[in-house]
Every structure is written in C-alpha cells, then in structure tokens.
C-alpha cells in the first residue's frame, strides 16, 4: 500500500486500508482518530532508505503524535526519537524505544528532566543556551556522568512558514545565535562533565520548499568547518525536522527528495546525519472521524455542528490551518452547499473548516483529513470533553490504541477543600 493513499473510497465508502470508517465509528464511537499502520511504516521507510549507504539516524519527533503504539511501531523499525520533555522520554522508554537513539531538544529543560535523560543514557542533549549548558554540566557532575551535547544553533534562515511554527529566525526563542555559537562551543569544551558530540539546528515546521533547508545546512557546514579547525570533534550533524505535508494544494518535496538534497549538501563529510521529522512521518497517516450532530441554517451561514471540536484538533483554531473534510459515505454532490463545519465548544474559534461544499444530513460521518500530526498530541479537555479514542488500522484489522477518556478519569486528580473548622 502506498502511503500517499491510505484512505480511499470503495463503493462510495471511505476506507482506511481495508477497513470501512463507518464500521470504525460504530464500533469505537466518535470523535475518533484513525491511523494507517501501512502509511506510518511507509513514511519511516521513505526517510530511512533515502540515506542509502550514509551513516544516519531518523529521530521521529515525538510531539507530533506520542501514542505508545506509534512510538512502538517506529521503534521496531529502528527509529530514533526527538523528545522535548521527560514525559516524552517516559513514553519512548515505555514503548520500547532505544534510549541510545534519543535526542533531547527544547529551550527549557529542567534539572530533573536532565537527570532522567542522563540516567537513561540518551544519545544527545540538544542544548539551546549557554545557561542551560552550565546547569547540565552541574547536573551531570552531581550524577558523576558525562552529558553528550550538541548545541542547537539558530542559523537565521527564513523557513517561509506560519510565524507560530517558524523557529530559525534570529528573533525566535530557539537555539543559540549563529554568531555566538563558536564561543559557546569553546566554553562547552572546557566544562568537566560535558562532551561535545554534534551540531544541531531546526528551522521550523511545515516547510514546503527545499531552499531554506539547504541554506541552513550550508550555514551549519561552514560552522562545522570552523569548529573542526579549532580542534573540536563533531561526530554528527542534526538537521532537525520540519518537512511539510500536503493538506490541500501544497506540493512539498518528497521525503526522499528532501533527504537526497541534505545528503548532497553534506557531500563527502563523514559526520553521521540526524534528522528529526515529525509531521511528515504521521500527518497524512491519520484522520479524525466525527459525526454531524446538527445542521443549522441561518440567513447568513449554514453550519454543520459536529462532535469533534477545537479541543480534539486545535490546528484550525491555533493557526487557521486547513484540513480537507470528506464525507465518509460519498453523497450526491449536486446537493452540496458551503458549510461552516464547527464543534460544540463555546468559542467562535472552534471551527474545523470554513465554506466546505458538502451535501449533509444530521448523523452523517465526516473525515477530517491529514490529522495524524499535532492532532491528538495537542488535544485538551477544554469544556470537560473527554479526549477522543484512537484506532490503528492494519489491513482489515482495527486496533484500539487509546480508549476514549471517561468522565471519572477527567476529575480523578481533583480534590475539594476540607470542611472549614468554625472559629
Ligand atoms: C517540532 C520539532 C521537530 C519536528 O518538526 P516537524 O515539523 O513536525 O517535522 C523537530 N525538531 C525539533 C527541535 C522540534 O521542536
């Protein structure tokens, strides 16, 4: 099965691999995330095999979708992981991931998170400031360990993506300014419990062109040469994640084109290449299944009120992101009218799509496409809505990989005050 098309109509019914989505909705309820195992495997393989003979490690960015079944699947394929918290480290270990293939990114790592990662013996800390470097050195010294480190350098390259997901411009909070990187590397080398092992950057997310990646890679290679000239040994070059996917009409490079371009840029240098793809590994392997609750026709607008909302899929509310919306049972398009597809949450920002031409009846099922990345992992319980179920399809088999939350689970951590003692 090609990962470009894990979701297909057969006899006018939308399928995931060989499973009908209307059956999945009946069995597991809605809203429900549905993932294709074959699409996940194919996405990893496309990145991994494109490196051909080159020493490399694909580190899946866990924050895109951190379900244990997905992490376990990638771990089994030999994937490494890019984590941004000790919570994500916990998930990777629980899913059977190899800590020796974990890189730890993020601007605000706490000492307790550093301790957990040092105890697990991760591959590398991607350090984002001189201050963090000092704390890491101290934590490692207290544990009598040596912390392997890359500095995340901000190459000041315009990723030409949404401003909220652009990270490689000098005004962003991420990384160490390019001009300061050499100085920080030199000071890193003098710290007793730090071992410099690599060089890292990550310039943003949902990039649909190769140019910014190549520009960043070129700047990193210039820096790498200068560091080596100063006697530093840089064993790996981590070029981050950020490859975009097609939500509607975008035409991002294929994973193999992206890898070939990076590989060409690095040329004959011997460093191991790391990449940290998130969205491109899972985004088009998943959808969000939802049911139309009510149709509401006003003089100005026609609303389809569905049972999924911004708490389930935040991207439209957060970035004004576009997700294609397909009927699970194909309907006669002659009756289509432009609908505002909205959720039940009390926010005007709670929409999943504007002006979508659909022929709908109450009770119909809709598929919100390309929802595998930054869908479930960004979900919340706003409006005390239990989080959705998640199902992974493998051929005609449907596996529940996360139960729908119960109301009891939602309140289990909360406590009311004790009775006040009078006087
Ligand atoms: C979010 C993130 C990624 C993954 O980005 P995608 O756009 O999902 O590929 C990789 N590396 C770092 C440091 C990140 O913060």
């Amino acid at each position: 099965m090609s990962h470009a098309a894990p979701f297909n109509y057969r006899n006018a019914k939308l399928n995931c691999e060989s499973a009908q989505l209307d059956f999945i909705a009946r069995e597991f309820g809605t809203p429900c995330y549905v993932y294709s195992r074959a699409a996940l495997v194919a996405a990893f393989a496309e990145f991994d095999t494109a490196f051909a003979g080159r020493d490399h490690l694909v580190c899946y960015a866990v924050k895109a979708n951190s379900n244990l079944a997905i992490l376990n699947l990638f771990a089994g394929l030999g994937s490494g992981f890019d984590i941004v918290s000790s919570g994500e480290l916990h998930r990777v270990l629980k899913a059977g991931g190899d800590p020796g293939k974990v890189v730890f990114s993020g601007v605000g790592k706490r000492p307790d998170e550093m301790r957990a990662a040092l105890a697990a013996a991760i591959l590398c800390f991607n350090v984002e400031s001189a201050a963090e470097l000092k704390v890491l050195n101290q934590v490692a010294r207290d544990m009598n360990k040596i912390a392997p480190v890359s500095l995340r350098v901000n190459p000041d390259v315009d990723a030409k993506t949404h401003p909220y997901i652009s990270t490689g411009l000098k005004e962003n909070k991420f990384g160490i300014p390019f001009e300061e990187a050499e100085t920080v590397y030199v000071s890193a080398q003098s710290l007793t419990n730090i071992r410099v092992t690599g060089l890292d950057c990550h310039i943003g997310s949902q990039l649909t062109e190769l140019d910014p990646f190549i520009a960043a890679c070129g700047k990193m290679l210039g820096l790498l040469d200068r560091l080596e000239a100063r006697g530093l040994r840089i064993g790996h070059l981590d070029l981050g994640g950020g490859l975009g996917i097609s939500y509607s009409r975008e035409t991002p490079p294929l994973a193999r084109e992206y890898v070939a371009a990076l590989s060409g840029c690095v040329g004959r240098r011997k460093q191991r290449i790391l990449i940290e793809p998130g969205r491109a590994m899972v985004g088009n392997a998943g959808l969000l299944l939802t049911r139309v609750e009510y149709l509401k026709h006003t003089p100005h607008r026609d609303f389809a009120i569905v049972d999924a909302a911004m708490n389930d899929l935040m991207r439209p509310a957060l970035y004004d992101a576009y997700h294609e919306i397909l009927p699970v049972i194909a309907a006669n398009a002659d009756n289509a009218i432009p609908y505002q597809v909205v959720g039940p949450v009390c926010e005007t920002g709670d929409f999943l799509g504007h002006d979508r031409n659909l022929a709908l009846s109450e009770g119909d099922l809709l598929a919100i496409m390309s929802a595998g990345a930054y869908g479930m992992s960004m979900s919340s319980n706003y409006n005390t809505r239990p989080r959705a179920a998640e199902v992974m399809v493998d051929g005609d088999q449907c596996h529940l990989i996360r139960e729908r939350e119960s109301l009891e689970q939602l309140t289990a951590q909360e406590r009311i005050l004790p009775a006040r003692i009078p006087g």
Side-chain angles (χ1 to χ4, degrees), residues 150-156 176-186 198-201 215-234 236-238 269 271:
S150 282
L151 295 188
R152 175 168 173 186
V153 175
N154 184 332
D156 191 23
I176 293 165
F178 194 76
E179 309 73 45
E180 292 168 28
E182 267 183 84
T183 317
V184 182
Y185 261 106
V186 170
L199 175 57
D200 171 51
C201 72
C217 183
K219 287 188 95 167
M220 288 294 124
L221 293 174
L223 177 58
L224 185 104
D225 290 343
R226 292 195 291 281
L227 294 174
E228 290 196 316
R230 282 175 176 257
L232 278 102
R233 303 220 354 229
I234 306 295
H236 74 252
L237 181 59
D238 183 338
R269 286 181 178 77
Q271 274 79 16

Side-chain angles (χ1 to χ4, degrees), residues 3 9 12 24 42 50 65 73 91 96 100 142 150 210 245 257 280 282 284 325 330 337 365 392 405 422:
H3 80 279
Y9 284 100
I24 292 176
N65 189 320
L73 179 64
R91 284 182 175 275
D142 293 346
S150 282
L210 285 177
I245 63 169
E257 295 167 341
V282 293
N284 277 327
I325 300 180
I337 58 168
L365 290 167
M392 196 185 301
E405 265 171 345

Side-chain angles (χ1 to χ4, degrees), residues 151-172:
L151 295 188
R152 175 168 173 186
V153 175
N154 184 332
D156 191 23
V157 165
D158 186 356
K160 298 178 206 147
T161 183
H162 189 285
Y164 288 9
I165 50 177
S166 185
T167 57
L169 283 172
K170 58 179 182 291
E171 57 265 37
N172 297 135

Side-chain angles (χ1 to χ4, degrees), residues 331-339 356-360:
N332 187 348
D334 296 345
N335 307 325
I337 58 168
Y339 275 104
R356 302 307 175 84
N357 273 314
L358 294 162
L360 294 180

Side-chain angles (χ1 to χ4, degrees), residues 61 63-64 82 105 152 202 204-206 241-243 276-279 374:
K63 73 179 190 288
D82 171 50
S105 304
R152 175 168 173 186
H202 170 72
S205 199
Q206 184 54 18
L243 182 63
E276 305 167 347
R279 189 188 311 270
Y374 305 105

